[in-house]
Amino acid sequence: MLRPKQMSKVSVTGSKGIMPTVIETIHGLNLVHLSDYDGSWEGFNNGNPIEGADEASEKLVTVRSLESSLELSDEDVDPRALEGDWEQRLEEVRERVTELDDRRGAVNDDLRSVTEKIDRVEPFAELGIDLDLLSGYETVDVVVGEGNVGAIEDAVAASDDIRAFETFTGGDVVAIVAAPAEDADEGALEDALVGVEFSRHAVPETEQSPSAYVNELEERQQELEYELEEIDAELEEVEANHGEFLQRVEEQLTIEVQQAEAPLQFATTDRAFVAEGWLPTEEYDRLVAGLNDAVGDSVEVEELERADYDRHGAHTHTEEIQKGAEAGAEDDASPAATDEDEQQQKAVTDGGSAVTMGDEPPTVQNNAGPAKPFEVLVQAVNRPKYSELDPTIFLFLTFPAFFGFMIGDVGYGIMYMAIGAYLVTQFDSDGVTSLGGVAIWAGAFTVLFGIIYGEIFGLHVLGEVLWHDMFHSELLPLNKGLEPAAADFALGWMVVSVLAGIVHLNIGYILDFYENLSHGVKDAVLHSGTWILMLNGVWIWIFSQQARSSKPDFLFTTFASDGPFPIGFTGFPEWGLVTIPLGVTDFLLTAPFLVFLIGFVLLIVSEPVEAIEALDVVVNVFSYTRMGAVLLAKAGMAFVVNLLFFGGYQNPEGEFHFLRNHEPSYVAEHYGEGAEVIFSGLMHSGTAALVGGLVILVVGHIVVLALGVTSAGLQAVRLEYVEFFNKFYEGGGKNYEPFGHDRTHTEDY
């Protein structure tokens, strides 16, 4: 589970005559991730596409163009074999769709032109002046447009080049008729309007009145729209009658093109070919059986290696593979290869050149069902290399816990689970369904922590019913620390977050240690053990009694018998080893500090440059305090939403309660002067306030629910990617993409 599936490198060798059958068989099995031949073998060249590849590619482009024109979506289609005259039918569909497409394009062009004319004429219809009165004058200038009438008149009146003018308005449109002065230059009116905000309209060329012209254009516009609807209806009819057919043709042509272009990845001579690729080791026998059924012993199939690599890509081990298994010479019906070809093939399959075609195996992540959805989060960073541990299982074990810890509310958790279930059941995309699975797990842990906190939508109802009334528990529910009387919890959650970070980072460094063991214990200690020593040494010292007066007190009171988490821990002892006199003062060398010092010295010896990052063992752990911060922030937001609606009060002991079952007057009557009403609540402030309060309550919790994803979700992901993965994970693996196609629309024919 922690490693990708084991992959085997296979070689398939045969004569050119059987290559199409071999390709079709391998494609149908959908098992082999083909390697690309790099041209490095003497006497071998990359193969050429099989005859008909160009024609199939052109038809495939045509089909996809037709699907685009018909806006055809990929739907479930009953698998069927294509009929014998499918090419003729395809041509008929192409001609019909092309004709309708051309008509639609022409109608759209006409409609666009008519719409533009309407837009140009409508202002003149609003003005109410015949178009022939607005042009054709020699002694006066006429301009029509939109702008502030007062500003326009002031600008024209102020111009020395205009001796007289008059304006006509209609709606937002204004027409200016002006007589230029005798010595004025051409365009005097337009010059006068330069400083005014004015949008000019060109006068349409027509003898009709503006309103009649608009009516005529609108009738034409309506005719064109009807014509478009008719064309769209005809296209929909084509889609209904031929949509499934086009999907089947596309699938068949896709398969044909894939098969026809496969030789481009092969090493070939005039008479023979060699194909190499990777497949899961467990599938090797199925590949051999499939090829034997197809071509008998005319092809040689050989398992070249079962790859095992260390994290740095070094080829550390290859299992012994019996050479020549399932091998055979070309049968008599196949063209015999020359002696030179046979020697070259044998050299390739038996010699050192066997892994020149992309020798790094692809990755097939191998996680159990519950952890499977979390692969999408790993792939968001980078797919694991074949040679390294897959961190998916650790993401599965920690991400939902971090998320649930930060939100910790039964109501929100149920909502997250419901959203996740919707994504899983209503979408076909693997990515979306995987995110749905992640949401379900995150929601489940949110419910779990919500039970521990006793909260449902920010209310402590669950804690009162479950822990107080049913189990009479004094320890649970745990408080989030928003109330003044429970302020110790707020700091306590920061300490808990730090401890979670220490454990999480230790796991990362231990995984790195395990990975480096392939280079020997010394290498593992120097590269990974140093960080384990420094991390644990410095944090055990921080939680020790040495120099306690200079450390925050809550480090030692959080788990004390009278603290928020009463387990009786008040810090590690000093564990002093030796006192070193330093002149001014003495320094007590303790065991934890010695552990840190040993790790630091080993780091300087092995990686001097990394020594400047030694304090990362402190800084990285502090990053986890963001979990406690988000916990308090989300709880505070839910608290404010509920306070606005229900109202709340503080009793004489400093405990906070919402006014869910009582009026504000209850506080004074029950507690007297020692209690304080913090807010009366909208639900107690009249009908209008109640209605507004309900809106605030619902919308507020929806906002908190959404921000839970963007804050708790992103912060949890950040801790995984930045703090945890960096300790042992590189990524950069190649995806396993077997040569083949899952038929969903067609059957072999």
Side-chain angles (χ1 to χ4, degrees):
M1 185 180 296
L2 296 182
R3 290 285 186 187
K5 282 187 178 180
Q6 186 176 45
M7 304 295 287
S8 289
K9 186 72 174 286
V10 296
S11 171
V12 179
T13 306
S15 67
K16 280 284 193 68
I18 63 170
M19 186 168 67
T21 305
V22 170
I23 289 173
E24 184 178 352
T25 302
I26 294 176
H27 188 279
L29 291 170
N30 201 12
L31 291 176
V32 182
H33 179 102
L34 290 177
S35 302
D36 290 319
Y37 172 54
D38 61 4
S40 62
W41 299 344
E42 183 178 355
F44 283 83
N45 299 309
N46 291 92
N48 297 316
I50 295 174
E51 184 179 353
D54 292 341
E55 183 181 355
S57 296
E58 290 175 4
K59 290 177 181 177
L60 182 59
V61 170
T62 298
V63 172
R64 288 175 175 169
S65 175
L66 291 175
E67 289 178 333
S68 176
S69 297
L70 295 173
E71 298 180 355
L72 193 64
S73 57
D74 190 10
E75 299 177 352
D76 293 335
V77 175
D78 293 334
R80 295 180 189 172
L82 286 173
E83 55 267 28
D85 62 344
W86 67 267
E87 292 179 274
Q88 179 181 346
R89 182 179 175 184
L90 176 61
E91 179 60 22
E92 291 172 355
V93 174
R94 186 196 67 77
E95 291 176 355
R96 180 61 176 152
V97 172
T98 300
E99 176 196 347
L100 292 172
D101 238 3
D102 291 343
R103 280 177 55 196
R104 183 167 56 178
V107 172
N108 273 322
D109 289 341
D110 290 345
L111 184 59
R112 193 179 305 110
S113 175
V114 170
T115 303
E116 290 174 356
K117 290 178 180 179
I118 291 173
D119 292 339
R120 290 200 303 268
V121 177
E122 275 184 338
F124 295 93
E126 194 173 356
L127 188 62
I129 300 176
D130 287 347
L131 299 178
D132 59 350
L133 299 177
L134 297 175
S135 61
Y137 299 105
E138 296 182 359
T139 58
V140 295
D141 293 338
V142 181
V143 175
V144 181
E146 295 181 32
N148 184 280
V149 177
I152 292 170
E153 290 178 341
D154 291 343
V156 176
S159 174
D160 295 334
D161 293 331
I162 303 297
R163 57 184 174 84
F165 74 93
E166 189 170 352
T167 58
F168 303 89
T169 60
D172 296 330
V173 182
V174 56
I176 308 103
V177 181
E182 292 183 0
D183 57 346
D185 295 331
E186 186 177 349
L189 180 55
E190 292 187 3
D191 292 342
L193 296 173
V194 167
V196 181
E197 244 183 76
F198 184 76
S199 177
R200 180 171 177 174
H201 297 309
V203 179
E205 295 181 0
T206 178
E207 296 179 356
Q208 295 175 284
S209 67
S211 56
Y213 190 39
V214 168
N215 291 337
E216 180 182 308
L217 290 172
E218 287 178 343
E219 288 177 6
R220 178 58 179 159
Q221 183 184 47
Q222 195 172 35
E223 291 174 1
L224 292 170
E225 288 173 348
Y226 286 153
E227 190 172 351
L228 269 182
E229 290 176 3
E230 290 176 359
I231 294 172
D232 289 340
E234 291 184 55
L235 286 170
E236 288 176 4
E237 184 180 353
V238 173
E239 178 187 354
N241 294 334
H242 304 286
E244 293 186 3
F245 164 74
L246 289 174
Q247 291 184 63
R248 292 191 184 99
V249 172
E250 183 196 9
E251 183 172 83
Q252 183 60 40
L253 288 173
T254 299
I255 292 171
E256 290 182 10
V257 170
Q258 288 176 343
Q259 293 179 2
E261 294 180 350
L264 294 171
Q265 298 175 267
F266 293 1
T268 64
T269 66
D270 292 340
R271 297 178 179 272
F273 74 91
V274 179
E276 289 185 5
W278 296 93
L279 82 168
T281 301
E282 62 196 32
E283 300 285 2
Y284 174 71
D285 290 340
R286 188 152 72 94
L287 172 68
V288 173
L291 287 171
N292 280 342
D293 289 342
V295 294
D297 60 357
S298 298
V299 66
E300 180 177 333
V301 185
E302 187 173 7
E303 185 177 9
L304 301 176
E305 62 172 323
R306 293 179 185 173
D308 188 11
Y309 292 72
D310 71 14
R311 65 177 304 186
H312 303 294
H315 194 166
T316 59
H317 171 69
T318 299
E319 292 188 19
E320 291 296 327
I321 304 298
Q322 182 178 356
K323 301 290 183 180
E326 304 299 333
E330 290 83 353
D331 61 14
D332 296 338
S334 303
T338 63
D339 292 342
E340 181 183 358
D341 285 342
E342 289 177 354
Q343 292 171 2
Q344 288 171 332
Q345 291 177 44
K346 186 174 181 181
V348 168
T349 54
D350 294 343
S353 299
V355 291
T356 57
M357 296 188 190
D359 55 352
E360 183 177 346
T363 300
V364 180
Q365 290 176 269
N366 187 27
N367 293 287
K372 197 73 176 175
F374 290 82
E375 290 180 358
V376 71
L377 294 183
V378 173
Q379 293 166 11
V381 176
N382 221 327
R383 189 179 300 275
K385 293 179 182 178
Y386 175 82
S387 56
E388 65 183 342
L389 293 175
D390 181 354
T392 300
I393 186 64
F394 301 103
L395 205 63
F396 163 66
L397 294 173
T398 55
F399 175 83
F402 289 168
F403 186 92
F405 170 79
M406 286 184 273
I407 302 297
D409 187 288
V410 172
Y412 295 142
I414 292 173
M415 294 299 294
Y416 288 131
M417 292 175 70
I419 293 171
Y422 175 79
L423 295 177
V424 169
T425 58
Q426 299 301 314
F427 291 86
D428 295 329
S429 168
D430 291 340
V432 175
T433 55
S434 294
L435 289 176
V438 172
I440 291 174
W441 280 104
F445 273 83
T446 302
V447 170
L448 175 62
F449 278 95
I451 293 173
I452 294 173
Y453 300 143
E455 284 196 6
I456 179 167
F457 290 116
L459 300 173
H460 295 91
V461 178
L462 186 65
E464 296 170 5
V465 174
L466 180 64
W467 300 116
H468 293 169
D469 298 342
M470 292 181 61
F471 296 104
H472 309 289
S473 171
E474 295 183 2
L475 176 62
L476 295 175
L478 299 177
N479 201 302
K480 289 186 177 179
L482 296 178
E483 307 166 20
D488 288 345
F489 275 96
L491 294 174
W493 291 124
M494 295 297 176
V495 178
V496 171
S497 300
V498 165
L499 295 177
I502 295 171
V503 173
H504 201 220
L505 294 181
N506 264 301
I507 294 173
Y509 284 128
I510 290 171
L511 292 174
D512 189 62
F513 184 91
Y514 171 77
E515 290 279 68
N516 281 309
L517 278 176
S518 60
H519 291 279
V521 175
K522 177 182 177 182
D523 189 76
V525 169
L526 292 178
H527 285 91
S528 309
T530 53
W531 294 98
I532 296 174
L533 293 173
M534 289 191 296
L535 173 67
N536 292 284
V538 72
W539 280 101
I540 291 174
W541 179 84
I542 289 173
F543 279 95
S544 73
Q545 293 289 334
Q546 186 183 22
R548 173 170 177 170
S549 60
S550 61
K551 300 175 183 177
D553 196 49
F554 63 83
L555 292 177
F556 308 98
T557 59
T558 295
F559 300 103
S561 299
D562 57 349
F565 308 105
I567 61 174
F569 175 78
T570 57
F572 294 109
E574 288 187 351
W575 285 320
L577 297 177
V578 62
T579 300
I580 302 174
L582 297 177
V584 178
T585 183
D586 294 337
F587 174 72
L588 176 64
L589 179 63
T590 63
F593 191 82
L594 179 61
V595 170
F596 171 81
L597 194 61
I598 292 172
F600 183 66
V601 171
L602 290 175
L603 181 64
I604 293 176
V605 172
S606 60
E607 298 287 347
V609 177
E610 291 190 11
I612 60 175
E613 300 177 1
L615 289 180
D616 281 358
V617 295
V618 176
V619 175
N620 291 165
V621 171
F622 277 141
S623 290
Y624 286 79
T625 58
R626 67 187 67 234
M627 292 200 303
V630 172
L631 181 150
L632 295 174
K634 295 302 111 191
M637 292 177 66
F639 175 86
V640 170
V641 171
N642 290 329
L643 178 63
L644 288 173
F645 181 73
F646 295 106
Y649 67 94
Q650 188 171 293
N651 65 21
E653 289 76 33
E655 297 176 345
F656 176 87
H657 297 278
F658 289 111
L659 287 165
R660 293 183 293 106
N661 303 317
H662 304 287
E663 294 288 334
S665 58
Y666 164 85
V667 177
E669 295 171 0
H670 188 75
Y671 292 104
E673 296 182 357
E676 177 187 2
V677 175
I678 297 174
F679 184 68
S680 298
L682 295 174
M683 70 176 290
H684 305 295
S685 303
T687 304
L690 174 62
V691 173
L694 285 171
V695 173
I696 292 175
L697 184 69
V698 173
V699 173
H701 281 300
I702 291 175
V703 170
V704 176
L705 185 77
L707 291 179
V709 177
T710 59
S711 57
L714 291 180
Q715 293 300 342
V717 165
R718 183 202 175 280
L719 292 174
E720 299 285 1
Y721 290 170
V722 178
E723 311 301 344
F724 184 59
F725 280 18
N726 280 349
K727 304 300 177 285
F728 68 98
Y729 183 69
E730 294 179 4
K734 184 194 302 181
N735 186 30
Y736 170 64
E737 296 177 351
F739 174 64
H741 187 92
D742 292 324
R743 289 182 181 266
T744 57
H745 303 329
T746 61
E747 298 174 345
D748 289 325
Y749 73 101

